[in-house]
């Protein structure tokens, strides 16, 4: 939603929602004077007021370092103190202050495929601060240059922007490596030493982000180590942040437990939970679509909407993730986070602003208003894929996958019907479905409208006319489709569905940032709106837990052949309501 | 890439051919977001068209390239239509002969996409007052390039005379990475700036403009000195705490120096025209900071 959403040279008010939501447009998002004044909650508030504090202070080193770090700590303060910044200067990107990113799990799949390339891409776009340093931690007998090689390879293979020697050089200078196991105190002491040294050689001012790209069972250990070594405690004026990946527990209790572990060490404001869906352009565009336009919001309610379908379909199986997936299943893996977040964004009221508090408050309100079906056996469906043909290739069933016990009751397909008990949505079902080994890979939100109250055509004229729909295509082929009836050319009055398309288009978004780029940048800047709060995580588990408990009593899920669109019970669930799933 | 030549044609025929080509390719015009009018001559049309087509990957556009040919010849309009599989937009090269060279707007105006912004770009020489130019009048964003002028510095200094909101110059666009790095350096307090110097190759238009912007922002005069280039090579600012400097000698990697801190290297490569253009197309609202820098430059330069 860079340019197509804002073709007119609009005034500052008109542009505001875009800025908060869009990535390129976000350059100016934080720079409005009101935002700077209103959101000043950090402990170092106040340093921003005196324009040149260092000049009037004792010049002992600690004070200088602290003062420097203080201003680096939040961009907002820097803005008030920095004569070169101006909210009207929209060309200047948001850049984080000097800092270090400590990456645990650098040998993992996520690090290689997403995180390391995203860091490079940020550098290539000029969004990494001077002095930015990257510290890898892994149980490998590596030197910094070995880790640099791994990073280099990951970038070459997976970065989205072209490889440029000078960008790599800049990044390479800041690459460090600390070998060790998570239970090894010595390794973490070495990490603390290394970080201290980096502060001195690179001027990173004690600002560290710890990215835990490791299996969740190690979170407690790593977090404890960060506490023991004092790395979790930010000295005055600096910041420490921790980034964790899903899953955030497997039910409410475990999510709370996990939260206790992190919150005992890091304050909630320093915990960044990644739901990479929220970093996606198309997902942020839901807010622009709804709140920057006057075309959709008037009909975005029970008076016009018949129902909403939110789908995330994957064509792949569980791959090598048997250990993680079995016992978790589709609903915990996808519905609890991605699909409920999409539901919240589609269903929420307009936030008073796009800052984290306002946005999260609205999302929480919707999640709180979610109601489960009375009879879970009628309002939910689950399945597990059986052997079949997927896109022209034979594939095995879930129970035959390596590492999956033959009596597993884990579902690979889940569909649930939810309602939102408020004035806007009462009586409008939200159908959520996700599955592996479905027909193809697609994620979308379809708002399906009611039929016209009266059709002044003969019945045969409109026989094949469906319901109007607005579809937000999240991935792939990002865009928006509007489906409506149109006259078929000819002498008869025959009306049929046609689609009107807005495509971000493959080539168009070619250079747009990847979700992880946006999210990493937000972590380094300390901008939390796109990260789910613990309250949202817990509310989502409250929705899912009763369903999981019910399913646990139901034995093995119904089979569906790989490459099809889920079990018959899912279709039956829709049929009972007189509806059908969209054919995707 | 499908292309189609029309000789001795007019806007209406071009328009219907575009529609026809689209249909033939089975690709109805996908959400093009703006019309980019490139005014150039035969010598720079190739590079300009390429840059515009690249920029259109980010901003799907109808690109109208206006190429003025011999005004002494008989009146004639030739057009070359290109619709690519590889590009989301459309490119029309318009070659104007005879008296028509003075009425390019009559060709361009009916070919503009309805109800979307129009951007005019002069990669080469540009009119004295772009907003008064017939093509400039059709556009809400007018991009010039002082570098194309024989006296680039005089050109950028003179820009403020004809400035209206919506004007911009590539000499300014080229500065974004520098300004961004300098702003980042100032995110950590450095104390009051007492003066400073921008060093650039002789005849570089961006140098004085950067100095003007800096001096406007920090409130003290910033000088400009000649260096061996290429392009901008250094910015040195004297602050209460010592010198803050960004130096770049190889047009790629810069060094940031601050008192009491280690030197840091930052990628600061010169960018291709297509990237500059893409940046310009990202924001179509008036650039007040640029206007202020121009004012400052005119007042002191
Ligand atoms: N991959 C994805 O697309 C994806 C998507 C969503 C969320 N996530 C989450 O992201 C995190 C990382 O995922 P991943 O796919 O990258 O996992 P992964 O491929 O299994 O990598 C896990 C990393 O943790 C390290 N590790 C495991 N046990 C260790 C130990 N005892 N001591 C030291 N290091 C240890 C591994 O190092 P070794 O090489 O030494 O074993 C590896 O670098 C997980 O929390 C996962 O749930 C991943």
């Amino acid at each position: 939603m860079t340019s197509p959403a804002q073709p007119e040279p609009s005034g500052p008010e008109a542009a505001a929602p875009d800025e908060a939501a869009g990535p390129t447009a976000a350059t100016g998002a934080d720079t409005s004077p009101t935002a700077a004044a209103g959101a000043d909650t950090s402990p170092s508030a106040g340093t921003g007021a005196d324009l040149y504090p260092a000049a009037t202070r004792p010049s002992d080193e600690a004070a200088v370092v602290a003062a420097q770090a203080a201003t680096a700590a939040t961009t907002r303060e820097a803005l008030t103190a920095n004569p070169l910044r101006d909210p009207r200067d929209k060309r200047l990107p948001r850049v984080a202050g000097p800092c270090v990113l400590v990456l645990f799990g650098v040998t993992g799949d996520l690090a290689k495929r997403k995180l390391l390339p995203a860091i490079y891409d940020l550098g290539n776009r000029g969004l990494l601060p001077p002095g930015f340093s990257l510290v890898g931690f892994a149980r490998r007998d590596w030197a910094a240059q070995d880790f640099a090689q791994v990073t280099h390879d990951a970038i070459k293979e997976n970065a989205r922007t072209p490889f440029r020697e000078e960008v790599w050089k800049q990044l390479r200078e800041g690459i460090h490596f600390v070998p060790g196991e998570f239970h090894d105190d010595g390794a973490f002491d070495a990490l603390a030493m290394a970080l201290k040294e980096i502060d001195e050689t690179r001027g990173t001012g004690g600002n560290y982000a710890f990215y835990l790209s490791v299996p969740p069972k190690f979170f407690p250990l790593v977090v404890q180590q960060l506490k023991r070594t004092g790395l979790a405690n930010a000295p005055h004026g600096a910041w420490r942040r921790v980034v964790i990946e899903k899953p955030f527990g497997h039910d409410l209790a475990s999510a709370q437990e996990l939260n206790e572990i992190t919150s005992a060490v890091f304050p909630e404001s320093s915990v960044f939970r990644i739901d990479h869906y929220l970093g996606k352009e198309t997902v942020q565009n839901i807010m622009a679509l709804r709140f920057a336009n006057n075309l959709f919001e008037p009909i975005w309610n029970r008076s016009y909407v018949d129902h909403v379908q939110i789908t995330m379909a994957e064509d792949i199986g569980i791959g090598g993730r048997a250990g993680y997936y079995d016992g978790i299943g589709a609903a915990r893996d996808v519905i609890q986070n991605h699909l409920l977040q999409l539901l919240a964004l589609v269903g929420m009221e307009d936030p008073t602003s796009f800052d984290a508090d306002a946005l999260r408050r609205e999302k929480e309100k919707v999640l709180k208003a979610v109601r489960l079906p009375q009879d879970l056996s009628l309002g939910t469906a689950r399945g597990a894929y059986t052997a079949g043909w997927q896109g022209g290739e034979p594939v095995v069933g879930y129970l035959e996958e390596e590492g999956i016990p033959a009596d597993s009751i884990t579902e690979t397909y889940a569909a649930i019907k939810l309602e939102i008990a408020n004035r806007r949505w009462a009586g409008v079902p939200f159908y959520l479905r996700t599955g592996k080994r479905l027909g193809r890979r697609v994620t979308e939100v379809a708002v399906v409208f009611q039929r016209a109250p009266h059709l002044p055509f003969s019945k045969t004229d409109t026989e094949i006319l469906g319901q109007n729909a607005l579809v937000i295509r999240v991935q792939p082929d990002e865009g928006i489709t509007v489906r409506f009836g149109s006259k078929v050319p000819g002498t008869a009055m025959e009306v049929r569905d046609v689609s009107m398309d807005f495509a971000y288009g493959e080539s168009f978004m070619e250079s747009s940032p990847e979700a992880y780029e946006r999210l990493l940048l937000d972590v380094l800047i300390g901008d939390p709106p796109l990260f789910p709060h613990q309250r949202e995580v817990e509310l989502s588990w409250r929705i899912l837990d009763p369903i999981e408990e019910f399913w646990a009593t139901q034995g093995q899920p119904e089979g569906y052949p790989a490459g099809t669109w889920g079990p018959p019970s899912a279709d039956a669930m829709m049929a009972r309501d007189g509806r059908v799933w969209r054919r995707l | 890439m499908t292309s189609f030549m029309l000789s001795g044609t007019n806007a209406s025929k071009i328009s219907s051919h575009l529609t026809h080509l689209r249909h033939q390719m089975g690709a109805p015009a996908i959400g093009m977001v703006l019309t980019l009018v490139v005014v150039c001559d035969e010598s720079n049309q190739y590079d300009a068209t390429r840059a515009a087509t690249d920029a259109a990957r980010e901003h799907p556009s109808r690109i109208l390239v206006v190429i003025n040919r011999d005004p002494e010849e008989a009146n004639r309009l030739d057009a070359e239509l290109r619709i690519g599989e590889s590009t989301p937009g459309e490119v029309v090269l318009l070659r104007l002969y005879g008296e028509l060279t003075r009425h390019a707007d009559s060709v361009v105006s009916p070919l503009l996409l309805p109800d979307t912004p129009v951007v005019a770009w002069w990669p080469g020489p540009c009119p004295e007052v772009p907003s008064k130019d017939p093509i400039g009048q059709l556009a809400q964003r007018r991009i010039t390039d002082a570098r194309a002028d024989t006296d680039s510095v005089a050109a950028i200094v003179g820009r403020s005379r004809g400035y209206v909101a919506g004007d911009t110059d590539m000499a300014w666009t080229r500065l974004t990475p520098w300004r961004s790095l300098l702003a980042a350096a100032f995110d950590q307090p450095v104390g009051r700036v007492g003066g400073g110097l921008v060093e650039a190759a002789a005849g570089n238009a961006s140098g004085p403009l950067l100095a003007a912007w800096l001096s406007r922002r920090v409130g003290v005069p910033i000088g400009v000195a000649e260096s061996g280039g290429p392009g901008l090579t250094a910015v040195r600012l004297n602050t209460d705490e010592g010198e803050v400097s960004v130096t770049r000698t190889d047009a790629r990697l810069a060094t940031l120096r601050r008192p009491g801190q280690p030197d840091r290297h930052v990628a600061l490569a010169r960018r291709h025209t297509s990237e500059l253009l893409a940046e310009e197309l990202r924001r179509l609202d008036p650039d007040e900071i640029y206007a202020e820098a121009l004012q400052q430059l005119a007042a002191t330069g």
Side-chain angles (χ1 to χ4, degrees), chain A residues 105 107-110 113 139-140 182 213-215 218 245-247:
Chain A
T107 55
D109 168 70
L110 186 70
R113 263 188 325 114
R139 43 179 177 177
R140 292 285 188 286
F182 295 146
S213 181
V214 297
F218 295 111
E245 275 282 348
K246 73 164 199 184

Side-chain angles (χ1 to χ4, degrees), chain A residues 300-361:
Chain A
W300 210 261
N301 56 54
R302 66 188 307 265
S303 304
Y304 295 91
V305 175
D306 178 67
H307 71 282
V308 177
Q309 296 186 17
I310 303 179
T311 304
M312 175 176 160
E314 292 178 283
D315 52 3
I316 52 169
I318 54 161
R321 294 173 72 215
Y324 161 72
Y325 200 83
D326 197 55
I328 294 290
R332 288 191 180 103
D333 190 35
V334 172
I335 293 183
Q336 184 270 339
N337 36 60
H338 307 322
L339 297 197
L340 284 176
Q341 283 289 333
L342 286 176
L343 174 141
L345 291 173
V346 171
M348 71 182 184
E349 299 300 316
D350 50 334
T352 51
S353 76
F354 282 101
D355 70 27
D357 279 347
L359 192 58
R360 287 162 163 180
R361 192 164 305 143

Side-chain angles (χ1 to χ4, degrees), chain A residues 137-199:
Chain A
F137 186 100
R139 43 179 177 177
R140 292 285 188 286
D141 194 11
W142 283 352
Q145 72 232 32
D146 301 309
F147 174 47
Q149 189 59 44
V150 168
T151 309
H152 186 267
D153 295 347
I155 290 168
K156 280 263 168 133
E157 201 164 317
N158 294 314
R160 292 163 59 97
T161 57
F163 188 83
R164 295 200 179 114
E165 201 56 45
E166 68 274 7
V167 179
W168 168 243
K169 231 167 153 173
Q170 173 190 349
L171 195 59
R172 173 68 189 85
E173 274 192 359
I175 289 184
H176 305 261
F177 184 77
V178 177
E181 303 257 356
F182 295 146
H183 54 74
D184 177 2
D185 285 359
F188 279 81
D189 293 339
L191 176 65
M193 296 263 288
L195 285 170
K196 205 163 165 217
E197 195 180 315
I198 290 169
D199 281 342

Side-chain angles (χ1 to χ4, degrees), chain A residues 464-508:
Chain A
I464 44 175
L465 176 67
Q467 285 166 278
N468 296 162
L470 187 143
V471 182
I472 298 160
R473 304 194 308 271
V474 176
Q475 74 175 15
D477 188 24
E478 296 90 338
I480 293 165
T481 303
V482 178
R483 193 181 64 176
F484 57 97
S486 174
K487 182 182 171 305
V488 179
T491 47
M493 187 59 174
E494 196 187 331
V495 184
R496 162 192 304 177
D497 287 333
V498 294
S499 289
M500 197 162 67
D501 232 33
F502 162 69
Y504 283 92
E506 300 285 358
S507 48
F508 171 35

